[in-house]
Amino acid sequence: MRIVGLTGGIGCGKTTVSTHFESLDGFKVVDCDKIAREIVEPGKEAYKQIIQKFGQEILFENGGINRRLLGERVFKDKAKLKTLTGITGPAIFKELVKQLIYNFVIGTPIIILDAPTLYETKRLLNICAAVIVVGCDESLQIQRVMKRDRLPLRQVRERMKNQIPTKKKADMADFVM
């Protein structure tokens, strides 16, 4: 089994690229963003810890986490972001390892590890045979995120400044798209 890292800045097109890989025979995409959404569902341990640290006011009426509100709070405060990633990081890693082991056991030839913060966390780089960085012009990146997430420019920039710039990621990559 070969693991290929797929990363890039927010709004650069990683999902489009991973969807293409998923359609190919012998490829399986393990999506860290999808795992991140699953581990904060009501009843899960990370969900409970997030409520304990950030309070009930970040919840929708149905009990789900208002990710937009939580994002507004953490992306402008590095200490809060560190607290959140301290909760979610280990839970994401645990689920990721389960999925990698499962795919190893069933004989999946190539895993595309869609990990937006692959370079920021560094933890998964050593298991990647190669890394692909997906990039685009910064103005297009901002436009895409504002439209997709319905965020104002200020919030998009706050999120982007918490990631390594796409150009720098591209300089470290084995392949750039």
Side-chain angles (χ1 to χ4, degrees):
M1 178 175 79
R2 287 236 189 243
I3 300 172
V4 177
L6 178 67
T7 192
I10 184 173
C12 282
K14 291 179 302 298
T15 301
T16 301
V17 173
S18 67
T19 300
H20 175 71
F21 277 120
E22 188 79 77
S23 72
L24 301 173
D25 285 339
F27 285 77
K28 170 68 178 157
V29 173
V30 175
D31 183 341
C32 290
D33 274 348
K34 182 178 177 195
I35 293 171
R37 287 187 298 276
E38 291 170 352
I39 58 113
V40 297
E41 290 173 350
K44 303 274 177 102
E45 186 56 35
Y47 171 90
K48 294 172 187 174
Q49 291 177 25
I50 290 168
I51 303 313
Q52 184 179 30
K53 293 286 184 186
F54 295 96
Q56 298 279 329
E57 61 273 6
I58 63 158
L59 297 178
F60 287 118
E61 286 184 22
N62 69 3
I65 292 176
N66 182 335
R67 294 169 57 89
R68 185 176 181 161
L69 179 60
L70 181 59
E72 285 175 22
R73 293 183 181 180
V74 301
F75 285 111
K76 62 183 176 188
D77 183 331
K78 288 208 183 277
K80 288 180 181 177
L81 181 59
K82 187 174 180 178
T83 297
L84 179 62
T85 57
I87 294 168
T88 59
I92 292 167
F93 187 75
K94 183 178 176 181
E95 180 57 30
L96 172 71
V97 169
K98 284 182 191 175
Q99 290 187 26
L100 292 176
I101 291 170
Y102 172 78
N103 279 284
F104 175 76
V105 169
I106 66 169
T108 303
I110 301 173
I111 299 289
I112 301 296
L113 178 58
D114 185 343
T117 58
L118 184 63
Y119 285 119
E120 289 82 354
T121 59
K122 298 180 184 98
R123 191 172 192 183
L124 300 170
L125 282 172
N126 62 340
I127 65 169
C128 295
V131 176
I132 301 169
V133 169
V134 180
C136 68
D137 179 73
E138 186 177 286
S139 61
L140 177 59
Q141 183 181 3
I142 290 168
Q143 180 183 20
R144 286 176 175 172
V145 177
M146 287 175 69
K147 182 178 180 180
R148 180 192 68 198
D149 298 344
R150 290 181 239 117
L151 293 174
L153 177 62
R154 175 187 54 79
Q155 287 182 18
V156 173
R157 289 202 182 279
E158 285 171 355
R159 290 172 189 222
M160 288 174 66
K161 89 176 171 193
N162 285 297
Q163 293 185 336
I164 294 171
T166 304
K167 167 103 176 71
K168 189 171 181 181
K169 287 181 181 186
D171 291 342
M172 296 184 277
D174 297 295
F175 303 97
V176 179
M177 298 178 84

